Amino acid sequence: MFRSLMLAALVAATVVVPLRAQPATDKHAALEALFAAEWERGLRESPENASYNGDNRYNDRWSDRSLDAIAGIEANDRAALEKLHAIGREGLSPADQLNYDTFEWNLQQAVSRQRFKEYLQPIGHQGGVQLADGMAEVVPFASTQDYRNWIARLGGLDTLIDQTLVLMQRGVAEGYMPPKVLMQRVPAQIAAQIVDDPSTSPFYRPFLKFADSVPEAHRAGLQREARQIISAEVVPAYRKLQAYFNQTYLPASRASIAATDLPDGQDFYAAMAAYYTTTPLTPRQIHDVGLKEVARIRAEMEKIKAQVGFQGDLHAFFDHLRSDPKYFYKTPAELLEAYQALSKRIDPELVKAFHTIPRLPYGVRPIPDNAAPDTTTAYYQPGAADGSRAGYYYVNLYKPETRPKWEMMALSLHEAVPGHHFQMARGIELPDLPMFRKTAYFVAYGEGWGLYAERLGYDMGLYDDPYDRFGQLTYDMWRAVRLVVDTGMHSMGWSREKAIAYFKDNAAKTDQDIVNEIDRYIAWPGQALAYKIGQLKISELRERSAKALGPKFDLRDFNDEVLNTGSVPLEALEKRIDAWIGEQKGRQAGSGPAENGGNAGR
């Protein structure tokens, strides 16, 4: 899973749009102007998104989450779609048409989802204002101004919290409430922000150690300002949030877990499934795909169990893998060191599966302690679009006795290279694309690629240990199970307990991970469906390419072409790969006689 940004906010400013029947060059210029204006609006309306992208102009503020501001964003999205349609698609080059289609898809989704009022559930157990200190992970602290920006941002937290409270209150009034089983995790997160000593606040961490470039004469003053604002404004604001959350919001949270129990819930869940998978598949169809994949992967697991000589059924093997101490590191430090070493083992093997290696580096970091107990095994945080910040692979060191060694290879391939870091760094480095395309994140493409990247470990010679291979199957099963339990809970009446039991029955993931995963699916309806659906499509396109091109098929060419396309809906990716196959066959036909000496069919 990649964290932080999902889709870049697609927004509009004042744009002069040419009317119909404009020459292609004018249409291209109009389209580029619209893209640029929308990108800028997105940064203004979401300063957090700007920070994630390495644009530091808005590092002193938070998004305006007032109801008026939200209404304004929604109006701007509708206006932007009208401006796009006024330009029109006809007469554009193929590259511009792909940009047009991608931009249109995003805007149409944003506009169609407005009726579901997702903003009325502003706090989740894995995100929300109670975890806002995480922004310090992505902004720079290399100058006095960087620290002043952070202090200014701290000064805006009370307003952001007040706006969040208004959204929560409106959600209570209108019935847009999250499940209580998830909200029970949040009080501890809020409590972690309420400190008597401001120097122990998570927001104060940047002031504990300064970069050498920050003048010594400025440091004490910056620390003093930070402590004062944390004591006088930040902590009181969180006390207010704590009182409302614990006394009113948590008791009002709903007992059910299904998205279909929200207003317009059936339509909402179907829309989320379509949005995240970028396909017209229904929840029932996705459920059935999941059942087939679970059966296929179980058969592969049985083969590995037999290979290692384990005596007992598959459930006993799962229990063995979850519990035997030899499969676990003893301390967080040992676990982190092992992740770092594993990443370095993967890096030199990338040339076996790719011609093009991205320039942007990545690092391995622990997930912050205050978020780790409620967070999944790992996630990826993208680097800055301008290359000023590396990408980071965040690993969960909480309870190392629940983090098995045999899952680490597949996990690292997915989250770092050649998975999320590779795909997103390549996207940033693609030439001649508007910024929204360089940073776009379609979950089915991005997470489908991450899951596909786990299987590339075989092509790269990295699964030489049968337990690592079982780990890859476990991770493949994990994503297949998602199709079953996500649709089961949100559209077929499954209980949380049934979903946990099904997961445990089919995958060797530890209990800690399984519970966290199920709660993530409850909190984020439909998102988890994208992984396996995307992987299946990319794998299908690989098989199609190999069959069509025969001995001329080069895996490195195929992988490069998928990444050269950039993050797009799956239908657009399929069209691009089909066109690429045609281009490759055309080259073969043109070069065949010279290479074959006239002996066709060699």
Side-chain angles (χ1 to χ4, degrees):
M1 175 181 77
F2 118 81
R3 189 180 173 98
S4 307
L5 340 165
M6 294 315 291
L7 291 172
L10 297 174
V11 231
T14 302
V15 179
V16 178
V17 180
L19 298 176
R20 297 181 182 83
Q22 293 293 316
T25 54
D26 290 348
K27 289 172 72 74
H28 170 81
L31 198 64
E32 290 291 299
L34 179 60
F35 292 159
E38 291 293 288
W39 176 257
E40 285 297 320
R41 180 170 73 91
L43 300 179
R44 290 195 305 273
E45 291 183 345
S46 178
E48 298 89 346
N49 195 34
S51 295
Y52 282 121
N53 277 293
D55 189 324
N56 299 324
R57 290 175 294 167
Y58 309 103
N59 282 358
D60 60 347
R61 68 198 73 173
W62 305 97
S63 295
D64 185 346
R65 300 303 295 159
S66 67
L67 288 167
D68 285 345
I70 291 169
I73 290 171
E74 292 183 342
N76 287 337
D77 285 344
R78 295 190 297 269
L81 187 58
E82 292 176 4
K83 292 172 182 176
L84 181 70
H85 288 161
I87 295 173
R89 188 178 186 277
E90 291 187 9
L92 294 171
S93 69
D96 277 344
Q97 286 181 342
L98 179 58
N99 293 338
Y100 182 104
D101 294 344
T102 306
F103 195 73
E104 181 186 46
W105 193 95
N106 274 330
L107 282 172
Q108 286 176 333
Q109 288 290 321
V111 170
S112 68
R113 287 170 60 179
Q114 289 177 6
R115 71 186 179 101
F116 299 124
K117 300 183 180 181
E118 295 166 68
Y119 55 85
L120 293 185
Q121 297 182 78
I123 280 185
H125 74 291
Q126 291 184 320
V129 71
Q130 80 280 10
L131 297 173
D133 59 282
M135 184 58 62
E137 296 282 319
V138 299
V139 297
F141 290 98
S143 69
T144 299
Q145 187 58 49
D146 291 336
Y147 281 89
R148 294 208 179 282
N149 286 340
W150 186 243
I151 289 170
R153 222 166 201 167
L154 296 186
L157 265 173
D158 55 350
T159 297
L160 181 62
I161 289 173
D162 284 343
Q163 292 171 344
T164 300
L165 286 166
V166 170
L167 297 177
M168 294 165 72
Q169 291 161 357
R170 182 68 67 90
V172 172
E174 297 188 21
Y176 290 91
M177 294 300 294
K180 183 171 293 186
V181 68
L182 304 184
M183 292 301 96
Q184 290 169 345
R185 292 174 175 248
V186 174
Q189 297 172 348
I190 300 174
Q193 303 291 3
I194 298 172
V195 296
D196 294 325
D197 178 358
S199 65
T200 64
S201 167
F203 289 99
Y204 191 77
R205 287 190 192 120
F207 299 90
L208 296 175
K209 183 179 181 181
F210 288 91
D212 292 341
S213 52
V214 178
E216 185 72 39
H218 296 173
R219 299 180 185 183
L222 292 170
Q223 290 173 324
R224 185 168 55 254
E225 287 184 58
R227 290 194 300 268
Q228 194 278 331
I229 206 165
I230 290 170
S231 292
E233 299 181 29
V234 174
V235 171
Y238 277 111
R239 288 192 192 280
K240 186 193 304 184
L241 176 65
Q242 182 184 57
Y244 178 75
F245 189 93
N246 292 352
Q247 296 168 20
T248 303
Y249 198 73
L250 180 58
S253 299
R254 59 187 166 96
S256 67
I257 59 172
T260 48
D261 290 331
L262 292 166
D264 295 322
Q266 292 284 354
D267 288 349
F268 172 64
Y269 185 63
M272 291 300 96
Y275 171 73
Y276 285 118
T277 67
T278 69
T279 72
L281 292 172
T282 67
R284 178 77 251 182
Q285 289 171 322
I286 293 170
H287 189 85
D288 289 343
V289 170
L291 292 174
K292 291 178 182 177
E293 280 292 283
V294 167
R296 178 189 66 80
I297 298 165
R298 278 187 74 98
E300 294 297 318
M301 287 178 159
E302 291 283 1
K303 294 177 183 177
I304 298 289
K305 178 176 72 71
Q307 179 186 349
V308 299
F310 182 83
Q311 300 300 312
D313 63 15
L314 195 58
H315 294 148
F317 192 41
F318 288 167
D319 288 339
H320 167 69
L321 293 172
R322 292 181 184 121
S323 59
D324 193 315
K326 72 181 180 182
Y327 298 122
F328 300 87
Y329 290 100
K330 294 181 179 180
T331 68
E334 289 177 333
L335 182 57
L336 178 60
E337 183 178 356
Y339 272 120
Q340 292 168 332
L342 185 59
S343 295
K344 290 305 176 186
R345 179 186 166 197
I346 294 170
D347 286 349
E349 307 304 327
L350 293 168
V351 294
K352 295 177 180 178
F354 301 90
H355 290 299
T356 305
I357 309 296
R359 296 185 299 275
L360 189 73
Y362 75 98
V364 183
R365 282 179 171 175
I367 293 173
D369 292 342
N370 63 323
D374 302 312
T375 302
T376 50
T377 314
Y379 58 77
Y380 173 69
Q381 180 175 280
D386 65 356
S388 61
R389 184 188 69 246
Y392 281 98
Y393 169 28
Y394 280 81
V395 294
N396 201 327
L397 308 182
Y398 176 71
K399 291 187 176 180
E401 69 275 12
T402 68
R403 315 288 174 189
K405 298 175 182 178
W406 44 260
E407 75 176 359
M408 294 171 63
M409 177 61 77
L411 179 63
S412 299
L413 291 167
H414 181 111
E415 298 293 346
V417 292
H420 287 325
H421 174 73
F422 213 86
Q423 179 253 311
M424 301 193 78
R426 282 291 314 280
I428 289 171
E429 295 170 10
L430 289 175
D432 304 323
L433 287 183
M435 281 302 297
F436 90 91
R437 286 271 283 118
K438 289 175 179 285
T439 60
Y441 192 74
F442 291 88
V443 184
Y445 176 97
E447 297 296 353
W449 174 264
L451 187 49
Y452 169 78
E454 294 175 21
R455 294 188 62 84
L456 286 177
Y458 293 105
D459 300 295
M460 295 160 64
L462 293 168
Y463 287 122
D464 50 3
D465 183 290
Y467 290 97
D468 284 344
R469 293 198 295 277
F470 197 87
Q472 183 274 316
L473 289 173
T474 296
Y475 268 50
D476 206 21
M477 176 68 88
W478 173 19
R479 282 39 171 261
V481 164
R482 285 175 171 179
L483 302 185
V484 179
V485 299
D486 194 292
T487 53
M489 290 188 294
H490 289 298
S491 69
M492 298 174 186
W494 283 33
S495 68
R496 178 172 178 264
E497 291 70 28
K498 181 176 180 178
I500 290 171
Y502 183 88
F503 201 140
K504 191 170 182 178
D505 192 46
N506 286 288
K509 296 283 285 179
T510 61
D511 290 353
Q512 172 87 20
D513 276 350
I514 288 172
V515 171
N516 278 348
E517 282 295 313
I518 292 298
D519 285 350
R520 173 187 157 200
Y521 310 153
I522 295 170
W524 209 350
Q527 191 269 353
L529 306 176
Y531 297 61
K532 173 57 71 170
I533 297 300
Q535 177 220 33
L536 289 173
K537 176 56 68 176
I538 295 172
S539 298
E540 173 195 328
L541 295 175
R542 171 174 165 168
E543 292 173 10
R544 186 185 305 176
S545 301
K547 182 177 180 180
L549 300 178
K552 294 287 188 177
F553 174 75
D554 186 327
L555 176 63
R556 296 169 296 175
D557 288 341
F558 172 80
N559 290 336
D560 280 0
E561 189 60 30
V562 172
L563 295 181
N564 287 340
T565 304
S567 188
V568 292
L570 294 180
E571 182 182 4
L573 176 64
E574 183 167 15
K575 289 179 180 178
R576 177 58 215 146
I577 295 300
D578 283 342
W580 174 79
I581 292 171
E583 293 164 5
Q584 298 301 304
K585 292 178 75 172
R587 290 195 183 101
Q588 288 182 22
S591 62
E595 290 184 1
N596 298 338
N599 184 11
R602 179 182 68 176

